[in-house]
Amino acid sequence: MTIRILPAVGDPDAARAVTALLGRLPDAEPLPTVGDSTALLAALAGAAPAGPPQPAGSPAAVEGLPEVVLVHERTGPVPALELIREVALRFPSVGVVLITTDAGPALFSAAMDAGARGIVGLPLSYEELAGRVQAAAQWSAGVRVHLGSSQEAPAGPSGTLVTVTGAKGGVGTTVTAVQLALAARAAGRSVALVDMDLQSGDVASYLDVQFRRSVVDLAGIEDISVRVLQDAVHDHHTGLGLLLAPEEGERGEEVDDRAARQIVTALRSRYEVVVVDCGAQMQSASAAAVELADVALLVTTPDVVSVRAAKRQVRLWDRLQIRKAEDTTTVVNRLTRNTEIQPPLVARATGTQVARTAVPAAFKELQPCVDAGRMQDLDSRSTVKQALWALAGELGLVESPAVRQGRGSHRARTSLTGRGKRKAITAGAPAGAQPAGGAVPGPAAGPRARFGARRGPSAARSAGPFDPAGPYEEG
């Protein structure tokens, strides 16, 4: 969407500087500069459509107005703050930004009270001006959408935010977060992976990353510009943008809930998917991320200790009004056929939704990549990877069908059993012969058929608590 910008600058030198910077803004349409308050109000009034006067807030009255008005502090004869108040009252769908040499707290508060949407300090900076203009344009477009204007809001913080939290340590939180991010990236989406486990985050170790910047470097910044974000985010060769936890765990205390909200919002404005590894310890920063999340995942293993920990975590979120249990999705990791605690029991115990996709117990597949610190090299035939990428599809992070590995029936995934290919079961049958109804041939078919007959009763036992479409146990 094109952002129409009307500068009101009385100083000629400042007018030239503003015009030059506005010409560099992407998707911007700078209008001719006006030199005083009278000309500004006349230009705004003239932008209204011809015909009978329309109410100030009607869609027809705002259609021709610019999205952003820049007011220089030396614009007269009406004082700048009075002019901002006049524009805000008469044209409430226009975002006004004040350009001033004094960007202190007192003037900032006064400008906000007058109706400004931001302040840009002098001398002008491209990054600061671009950030303020885009923020004001986004606000203006949102107001016009509510007023029924036909304009669409410009791209803003609309990226999908997914948080991954562990019921306790060691349940597979980081592996889940990394694979979800890799799956979304493989689907062609821009992805940021954030390590919000501030004291003991391991995303860098799992992806073999050496880094200097971390999430702590963004904690003390009031306004995170695009350039500041680029400096802090590590561009991984897989295409992921990594914002990592600090090497010194004690520095994690510098990231509070306010900083976490600001960081997450900045990332969502740039990436289509933001995956946050919150670890297993709930801190103010990770709590803020969970509260803002579109999808909040809680990872647990199917054992009594982990399920109890998941239940405590859900109750903690509810007591602190972070998130309700019904808005949380639990992922069951390391599930086997013989596990007594199955996903329906986890759902009843925690009161949460349980993902349809469960992750099988197959650490042997993970161990080489974990030890090498190269989780991105996990084999595509890995049942763990297939399950986690299927989970990404279930969550809507994967849109391309080619990337949705593992979304088919678990029966077809013979590697889950670790006992060879299913075609070996019928290898003893005559050429071209097909078992009727998919039944395995009897003993007369040969040694391999006898092996297949031995497997047959396991299918009959599937009528018990184990779901035949669920994951198989590790071999």
Side-chain angles (χ1 to χ4, degrees):
M1 170 187 171
T2 301
I3 303 174
R4 294 167 294 179
I5 307 169
L6 176 59
V9 185
D11 186 291
D13 294 334
R16 285 192 293 270
V18 169
T19 302
L21 289 178
L22 291 179
R24 295 170 51 191
L25 293 180
D27 300 326
E29 181 186 338
L31 301 177
T33 304
V34 296
D36 55 49
S37 57
T38 303
L40 172 62
L41 295 175
L44 292 175
Q54 300 287 337
S58 65
V62 304
E63 194 69 33
L65 292 173
E67 284 75 24
V68 180
V69 167
L70 301 179
V71 176
H72 190 269
E73 62 181 356
R74 296 184 183 178
T75 302
V78 178
L81 293 181
E82 293 296 329
L83 178 58
I84 292 173
R85 183 175 289 106
E86 180 71 14
V87 172
L89 289 174
R90 293 181 56 183
F91 310 98
S93 64
V94 175
V96 185
V97 177
L98 175 63
I99 302 176
T100 177
T101 54
D102 178 18
L107 182 59
F108 181 85
S109 177
M112 296 301 104
D113 291 341
R117 302 308 307 173
I119 289 182
V120 177
L122 292 172
L124 291 174
S125 164
Y126 172 80
E127 295 292 342
E128 185 180 12
L129 181 63
R132 294 291 181 265
V133 167
Q134 290 173 357
Q138 179 185 338
W139 173 87
S140 173
V143 172
R144 298 180 189 206
V145 168
H146 286 293
L147 292 176
S149 173
S150 60
Q151 291 182 326
E152 297 180 357
S158 57
T160 302
L161 175 61
V162 180
T163 58
V164 185
T165 308
K168 66 180 189 65
V171 297
T173 308
T174 302
V175 172
T176 302
V178 169
Q179 288 298 327
L180 289 178
L182 290 172
R185 182 67 191 120
R189 310 183 74 179
S190 59
V191 183
L193 176 58
V194 185
D195 196 344
M196 203 67 80
D197 188 359
L198 300 175
Q199 291 186 352
S200 55
D202 286 323
V203 169
S205 299
Y206 275 78
L207 293 175
D208 191 23
V209 174
Q210 301 294 328
F211 64 98
R212 294 183 301 107
R213 303 286 186 183
S214 71
V215 65
V216 174
D217 295 305
L218 299 177
I221 300 178
E222 292 294 333
D223 182 26
I224 302 176
S225 65
V226 175
R227 179 168 297 178
V228 170
L229 196 62
Q230 288 176 340
D231 291 340
V233 174
H234 177 86
D235 293 325
H236 197 253
H237 66 83
T238 58
L240 297 179
L242 304 180
L243 186 57
L244 303 169
E247 290 186 352
E248 305 84 7
E250 64 275 10
R251 295 197 62 195
E253 298 179 357
E254 300 177 25
V255 185
D256 56 11
D257 57 338
R258 182 203 61 81
R261 292 175 186 274
Q262 190 173 10
I263 292 169
V264 167
T265 301
L267 289 169
R268 293 181 70 185
S269 66
R270 184 182 177 194
Y271 295 92
E272 295 178 86
V273 177
V274 179
V275 181
V276 181
D277 178 3
C278 295
Q281 297 182 359
M282 190 52 45
Q283 302 171 337
S284 60
S286 55
V290 172
E291 184 179 0
L292 294 174
D294 299 303
V295 179
L297 299 181
L298 182 60
V299 182
T300 184
T301 50
D303 56 83
V304 173
V305 175
S306 294
V307 174
R308 285 178 176 174
K311 188 174 182 178
R312 287 197 304 269
Q313 188 75 274
V314 170
R315 288 180 174 179
L316 174 65
W317 289 352
D318 186 63
R319 289 196 304 271
L320 299 180
Q321 297 182 352
I322 296 173
R323 201 171 193 88
K324 296 181 179 179
E326 55 268 25
D327 296 331
T328 304
T329 302
T330 300
V331 178
V332 181
N333 190 20
R334 301 173 193 158
L335 187 66
T336 66
R337 178 200 300 271
N338 299 323
T339 302
E340 294 185 6
I341 300 178
Q342 291 292 316
L345 180 57
V346 176
R348 290 195 299 269
T350 61
T352 63
Q353 305 177 45
V354 174
R356 297 190 303 272
T357 306
V359 185
F363 184 72
K364 290 180 182 178
E365 301 173 357
L366 297 175
Q367 189 167 7
C369 295
V370 171
D371 292 342
R374 297 183 62 82
M375 187 56 61
Q376 67 272 18
D377 294 339
L378 185 61
D379 196 310
S380 297
R381 294 172 295 180
S382 165
T383 58
V384 175
K385 181 175 181 177
Q386 290 176 358
L388 289 174
W389 285 38
L391 175 63
E394 180 181 334
L395 300 176
L397 305 182
V398 175
E399 297 178 350
S400 173
V403 185
R404 298 190 179 186
Q405 302 185 35
R407 282 186 66 88
S409 170
H410 287 284
R411 288 182 177 270
R413 284 188 257 150
T414 60
S415 59
L416 284 170
T417 65
R419 297 175 181 175
K421 304 294 184 181
R422 182 172 293 275
K423 63 181 180 180
I425 298 175
T426 59
Q434 296 293 335
V440 179
R448 291 189 182 272
R450 287 196 297 270
F451 172 73
R454 184 161 53 89
R455 287 177 54 92
S458 65
R461 290 194 299 268
S462 65
F466 172 70
D467 180 4
Y472 285 61
E473 66 180 337
E474 178 190 6

